[in-house]
Amino acid sequence: MRWLLSLLLISVSSLVHGLSSSGNRLLVVIEGEAEREKYSQFWSDLTGRGFSISFESPKNEKLALLKHDELAFDHLILLPPKSKGLGPALTPKLLLDFVNKNGNILLALSGDSPTPITISSLLLELDIQLPPDRTSLVIDHFNYDTISASDKHDVLLLAQPSSPSDLRHFFSGDGTIAFPRAVAQELGNSSPLLAPILRAHDTAYSYNPKEEADTVEDPFVTGSQIALVSSMQARNSARFTILGSVEALENAWFDASVQSVQGSKSKTANREFARQLTEWTFMETGVIEVGRVEHHLSSIEQESSGNDSVSELGYLNPRIYRVKNDVTFTVELSEYTHTHWSPLTIPASDALQLEFSMLSPFHRLALTPVQVTPNSTLYSTTFTLPDQHGIFAFKVNYKRPFMTNVDVKREVTVRHFAHDEWPRSWMISGGWVWIAGIWVTIAGWVAFVAIWLWSEPAYAAARGKKIQ
């Protein structure tokens, strides 16, 4: 009965933990009970996925994202406030500290209220620019909802993002997304951490409705340069998502009927897109975990003198190798998918690579799957160490959009041959001539000495004594 009770407790704890790989404590910063009711279906979906939601006002002076230098919440949703700021607890520095502590943020913008300067300053630090007037909307006269925006053309209709063939994508679908009164975002080109999730059509442009002008001479941004939903994944893999239209999360747009300019009617896919967006932002998808990292000699022979000096012969992950050793490197990778860890599959058009480098890579090799377990995949390769001694490192650096970063580094020492590890002269065919010459010289000298010793010269017979 004890093992049954333990299994029950583990199952209950996994349900309480929720579906996110990084925790289920979710803070929602929103003003007023009436505003909260507009998004009741959105909150219900999050609660149904196991999140524990806390609602707080930005004016709450006791609000704190960090307590004792640790995260008080795992995830944060910031809805646009009606006031000009977010309060002292939500300054750009504190929000960046939250991200640096592996917290995830979903920031929603609205064209109905001016964007606080705090938000604009925060996004500028991430190389994301908003319209300088802080009240501009995205207008598209060719892709809008004719039912709700027949005059202003500010309710955009866009297809769900398509999945690229060479990248993993978590927001694809066949539905239509309605974006009411969206705020344009322009992403910088210098940051590799930014990635657009949904862009506007080529016919869209940013427009300030307060100007009431018939023409726009110098718009802030136009066409596909407009990012309606963008993301930033930090170097520690924390995620920051900017949604250009908070109205897209309202109950009224989760299953609304829309009609395009061409006259085709459909139901919006806002609810599905909101689920996909929050799943990625809150680390329910696109999370890679590194398990075992192993390296060892490919063939270990106790009698081989070349392997005697390897630290702890026969064990994994030795600290020292010898030049020209055959080495096998293996790394275990798993991917978190909604509720569980599963084997990571690299697309056929992509590659997971190993670098064996000192100051620069001496080897760059593809890691291939050698074993698949119920919740992980083992990638491995075998290669010969270079004829260069020094401090080397095994490196696996796998960074792809919308996937958490894999950065593995293991340092080892590669030594040169010891004096007793070089092959003997009689094992080298090129030295046989010189060995033969030595022995011929020795044999000739011995023969010469023998002949000289045993070849005494003949002397003449001695004459008698002289008679006086």
Side-chain angles (χ1 to χ4, degrees), residues 124-256:
L124 277 177
E125 295 196 34
L126 305 180
D127 203 12
I128 301 175
Q129 293 188 0
L130 299 181
D133 51 31
R134 300 188 295 139
T135 56
S136 293
L137 303 176
V138 179
I139 306 296
D140 192 338
H141 302 298
F142 298 90
N143 300 278
Y144 65 93
D145 179 26
T146 58
I147 298 177
S148 60
S150 58
D151 296 332
K152 297 183 179 180
H153 305 175
D154 57 356
V155 179
L156 309 184
L157 298 182
L158 300 103
Q160 286 185 262
S162 59
S163 178
S165 58
D166 57 341
L167 295 175
R168 298 287 301 276
H169 207 282
F170 304 97
F171 317 100
S172 58
D174 300 326
T176 300
I177 308 173
F179 267 81
R181 293 168 290 281
V183 178
Q185 308 158 41
E186 185 180 17
L187 307 185
N189 298 323
S190 60
S191 176
L193 308 178
L194 298 177
I197 297 176
L198 185 63
R199 290 188 180 274
H201 289 286
D202 293 337
T203 53
Y205 62 95
S206 180
Y207 169 72
N208 188 354
K210 293 184 178 181
E211 295 179 358
E212 297 182 355
D214 295 334
T215 60
V216 179
E217 295 182 357
D218 190 15
F220 167 67
V221 65
T222 62
S224 59
Q225 294 179 342
I226 299 175
L228 299 175
V229 183
S230 55
S231 64
M232 189 280 297
Q233 184 167 258
R235 300 189 187 277
N236 62 354
S237 294
R239 292 170 175 176
F240 194 116
T241 303
I242 303 95
L243 176 65
S245 172
V246 69
E247 288 84 357
L249 303 177
E250 293 181 358
N251 301 339
W253 292 102
F254 262 24
D255 194 23

Side-chain angles (χ1 to χ4, degrees), residues 125-406:
E125 295 196 34
L126 305 180
D127 203 12
I128 301 175
Q129 293 188 0
L130 299 181
D133 51 31
R134 300 188 295 139
T135 56
S136 293
L137 303 176
V138 179
I139 306 296
D140 192 338
H141 302 298
F142 298 90
N143 300 278
Y144 65 93
D145 179 26
T146 58
I147 298 177
S148 60
S150 58
D151 296 332
K152 297 183 179 180
H153 305 175
D154 57 356
V155 179
L156 309 184
L157 298 182
L158 300 103
Q160 286 185 262
S162 59
S163 178
S165 58
D166 57 341
L167 295 175
R168 298 287 301 276
H169 207 282
F170 304 97
F171 317 100
S172 58
D174 300 326
T176 300
I177 308 173
F179 267 81
R181 293 168 290 281
V183 178
Q185 308 158 41
E186 185 180 17
L187 307 185
N189 298 323
S190 60
S191 176
L193 308 178
L194 298 177
I197 297 176
L198 185 63
R199 290 188 180 274
H201 289 286
D202 293 337
T203 53
Y205 62 95
S206 180
Y207 169 72
N208 188 354
K210 293 184 178 181
E211 295 179 358
E212 297 182 355
D214 295 334
T215 60
V216 179
E217 295 182 357
D218 190 15
F220 167 67
V221 65
T222 62
S224 59
Q225 294 179 342
I226 299 175
L228 299 175
V229 183
S230 55
S231 64
M232 189 280 297
Q233 184 167 258
R235 300 189 187 277
N236 62 354
S237 294
R239 292 170 175 176
F240 194 116
T241 303
I242 303 95
L243 176 65
S245 172
V246 69
E247 288 84 357
L249 303 177
E250 293 181 358
N251 301 339
W253 292 102
F254 262 24
D255 194 23
S257 298
V258 293
Q259 181 176 347
S260 66
V261 176
Q262 291 77 18
S264 59
K265 295 183 179 180
S266 61
K267 293 286 187 178
T268 60
N270 286 34
R271 189 167 195 167
E272 179 186 359
F273 183 71
R275 176 184 59 81
Q276 294 172 337
L277 196 64
T278 52
E279 283 177 348
W280 182 84
T281 305
F282 299 150
M283 310 288 282
E284 297 176 60
T285 56
V287 180
I288 301 177
E289 182 183 59
V290 179
R292 292 178 296 163
V293 179
E294 300 174 353
H295 54 87
H296 56 84
L297 290 170
S298 301
S299 59
I300 299 177
E301 299 177 3
Q302 192 72 30
E303 296 81 8
S304 175
S305 62
N307 295 331
D308 287 344
S309 299
V310 175
S311 175
E312 299 180 354
L313 178 65
Y315 286 83
L316 296 174
N317 305 328
R319 296 182 179 179
I320 186 170
Y321 289 103
R322 192 206 67 203
V323 296
K324 296 185 178 181
N325 272 147
D326 291 332
V327 175
T328 297
F329 179 86
T330 304
V331 61
E332 182 183 22
L333 298 176
S334 304
E335 179 182 2
Y336 192 80
T337 308
H338 298 102
T339 59
H340 62 282
W341 293 100
S342 59
L344 174 66
T345 302
I346 304 296
S349 57
D350 198 2
L352 178 68
Q353 293 183 327
L354 166 69
E355 288 186 357
F356 190 71
S357 61
M358 189 160 53
L359 295 177
S360 59
F362 278 68
H363 288 291
R364 183 176 286 118
L365 307 167
L367 291 167
T368 56
V370 295
Q371 183 181 355
V372 179
T373 67
N375 55 9
S376 65
T377 304
L378 272 70
Y379 291 86
S380 181
T381 189
T382 299
F383 64 100
T384 301
L385 297 183
D387 190 7
Q388 173 69 44
H389 63 276
I391 305 299
F392 284 81
F394 297 96
K395 292 182 180 180
V396 179
N397 191 353
Y398 185 77
K399 296 179 181 179
R400 298 296 184 270
F402 309 118
M403 303 290 289
T404 55
N405 301 325
V406 175

